Amino acid sequence: MPPRQRLSPADRRAQLLAVGARMFAARPYEDVLMDDIAQQAGVSRALLYRHFPSKHALFAAVYQQAADRLLAETKLDPTDSLVGQLVQGMDIHLDYFVANRHAVLAANRVLAGDPVIQTIMTGELDALRARLLAVLPLADESARRTVSAVLKSWLVFVQILVVDWLTEQTCSRTELRDICVGAVLGALRPLLPADLVPNWPQLAAGRAGA
């Protein structure tokens, strides 16, 4: 065990979260042991449990931190094109999902239905939907409600599709991203006052060939 460093409670919690994030990313959820996390962090098992009473509590804190960071990095710029904003958001999330495959699969498979994890996921999806609604040109409140429902369904579609892709990669990462972007563009086109991306299929083909 590495020599223990004297840290403030906040700094110790941050250190344990960082170690937990690395281990949950590197191993399947069931293979991550609290004893191993304590050893990697250079702390006693008792100190680890003082901050996080269970592996589930540590994982939930790691996943909440990741969701907060992803939202912070997903800054939709209303001056950018709709496609540019969607591609930027998808790229940020896919980068995280690929780098943290085990953690994502744990949240969506091993812990599927867990109320704490589901609350974190729902909060992130609701925040993303609100940001997308804020940059779309919507005619009135009725259109806003309809688009909101479409975005809610699309975000769940993306979540399921990406989790399946992490299990079995049946297409390239770029193809996966463009499938997700194309799906929401196709769903939104009848609901927006103007076609914001009339040449979307050609844009996607151009990026794939670049």
Side-chain angles (χ1 to χ4, degrees), residues 27-45:
R27 304 180 190 176
Y29 180 80
E30 56 272 18
D31 292 346
V32 177
L33 303 178
M34 291 291 271
D35 284 349
D36 292 342
I37 293 173
Q39 183 177 26
Q40 287 290 319
V43 302
S44 68
R45 192 169 180 267

Side-chain angles (χ1 to χ4, degrees), residues 18-167:
V19 173
R22 289 198 302 270
M23 295 193 71
F24 285 123
R27 304 180 190 176
Y29 180 80
E30 56 272 18
D31 292 346
V32 177
L33 303 178
M34 291 291 271
D35 284 349
D36 292 342
I37 293 173
Q39 183 177 26
Q40 287 290 319
V43 302
S44 68
R45 192 169 180 267
L47 180 56
L48 173 59
Y49 276 99
R50 194 180 307 162
H51 287 272
F52 302 100
S54 66
K55 181 170 76 169
H56 173 274
L58 175 58
F59 181 85
V62 166
Y63 210 71
Q64 180 67 72
Q65 184 181 70
D68 292 342
R69 286 177 177 171
L70 286 171
L71 286 173
E73 292 173 6
T74 308
K75 298 175 181 178
L76 301 180
D77 182 356
T79 64
D80 195 1
S81 68
L82 177 59
V83 171
Q85 294 175 78
L86 290 169
V87 167
Q88 183 255 9
M90 283 299 308
D91 278 338
I92 288 171
H93 280 72
L94 286 174
D95 285 345
Y96 173 80
F97 294 155
V98 171
N100 297 272
R101 175 178 173 274
H102 289 302
V104 174
L105 291 177
N108 288 274
R109 295 279 172 83
V110 180
L111 299 174
D114 178 89
V116 176
I117 302 303
Q118 287 301 313
T119 297
I120 295 170
M121 289 183 180
T122 300
E124 182 188 6
L125 295 181
D126 286 347
L128 288 171
R129 178 168 43 136
R131 291 184 184 188
L132 287 167
L133 282 170
V135 299
L136 289 172
L138 303 176
D140 50 37
E141 184 57 31
S142 176
R144 180 182 176 83
R145 288 195 299 270
T146 303
V147 170
S148 179
V150 169
L151 292 174
K152 183 176 182 179
S153 298
W154 174 70
L155 288 166
V156 173
F157 161 79
V158 170
Q159 181 181 18
I160 294 171
L161 185 62
V162 171
V163 169
D164 286 346
W165 180 80
L166 289 173
T167 304

